[in-house]
Amino acid sequence: KTLKCEDTAGSSSQILEREYAQGVLISEVVLDKSLPDSPSSKKPRLRRSRKVKDAKRPGETIIKGHRSYDLMLCLQLGIRYTVGRITPIQEREVRASDFGPKANFWMNFPKNGSPLTPSHRALDFKWKDYCPMVFRNLREMFKIDTADYMISISGSDALRELSSPGKSGSIFFLSQDDQFMIKTLRKSEVQVL
């Protein structure tokens, strides 16, 4: 994201071109506007530069051996399966039947795969898909592209785990591009949701 600022407080006018990545200033270029034909006005000078990698990112990247590694793999695989399964269904308005216990679906994910699920590196797990049409409709309402969503959460990048400040014991996961957050819920919270 590039932002141009004009500083006219002094006698000479200056234009600053600042570039931000995820809210962190990564470069600032000073354009001298006072002398339009001078060489310095045609060639910007670099005042300050910092690489994006140097920016402090919240959370701990989950790697093999991390306490949440298997949970992350299960989440990524389950989300990829759920979103991929619901995407081909024709777009429609949400109905009353899209809510409640009858709109929830269970799926077994054995490590060696099944006719409906791929083999994977995580442990055998069960996945419960809550109201998939409702969540699909929410993504569409907020103009979240399905492919971008799946790549952000379930792509080749690992998620990052954020420490939970609450006493609920919930685990928060953040996608590597900082676009989406996943929160684990207790059974009582799921029922309310």
Side-chain angles (χ1 to χ4, degrees), residues 21 28 33 61 63 68 73 76 80 99 102 116 122 132 134 148 160 167 170 178 184:
E28 184 177 83
K33 189 178 158 188
T61 300
I63 58 172
S68 298
L73 290 178
Q76 289 179 317
R80 189 179 311 125
F99 293 90
K102 291 186 178 183
L116 298 174
V134 175
D148 291 342
R160 295 194 317 269
K167 57 185 176 181
S170 294
D178 297 327
T184 61

Side-chain angles (χ1 to χ4, degrees), residues 83-95:
V83 175
R85 185 175 70 88
I86 200 81
T87 300
I89 296 173
Q90 187 174 0
E91 193 175 327
R92 63 171 175 76
E93 292 292 320
V94 176
R95 304 174 187 149

Side-chain angles (χ1 to χ4, degrees), residues 92-99 133-135 137-138 141:
R92 63 171 175 76
E93 292 292 320
V94 176
R95 304 174 187 149
S97 61
D98 293 329
F99 293 90
M133 289 302 291
V134 175
F135 285 102
N137 188 272
L138 285 169
M141 284 173 49

Side-chain angles (χ1 to χ4, degrees), residues 165-177:
K167 57 185 176 181
S168 69
S170 294
I171 301 172
F172 293 86
F173 297 101
L174 189 61
S175 62
Q176 282 294 341
D177 60 4

Side-chain angles (χ1 to χ4, degrees), residues 45-102:
R45 297 177 318 208
L46 188 62
R47 179 188 276 180
R48 183 177 163 191
S49 179
R50 197 164 83 190
K51 291 183 180 178
V52 178
K53 285 193 280 187
D54 295 343
K56 178 74 174 139
R57 300 184 78 189
E60 177 184 356
T61 300
I62 301 171
I63 58 172
K64 193 168 185 150
H66 189 279
R67 65 188 172 277
S68 298
Y69 182 74
D70 285 326
L71 177 57
M72 177 195 73
L73 290 178
C74 295
L75 284 169
Q76 289 179 317
L77 184 59
I79 290 170
R80 189 179 311 125
Y81 172 81
T82 298
V83 175
R85 185 175 70 88
I86 200 81
T87 300
I89 296 173
Q90 187 174 0
E91 193 175 327
R92 63 171 175 76
E93 292 292 320
V94 176
R95 304 174 187 149
S97 61
D98 293 329
F99 293 90
K102 291 186 178 183

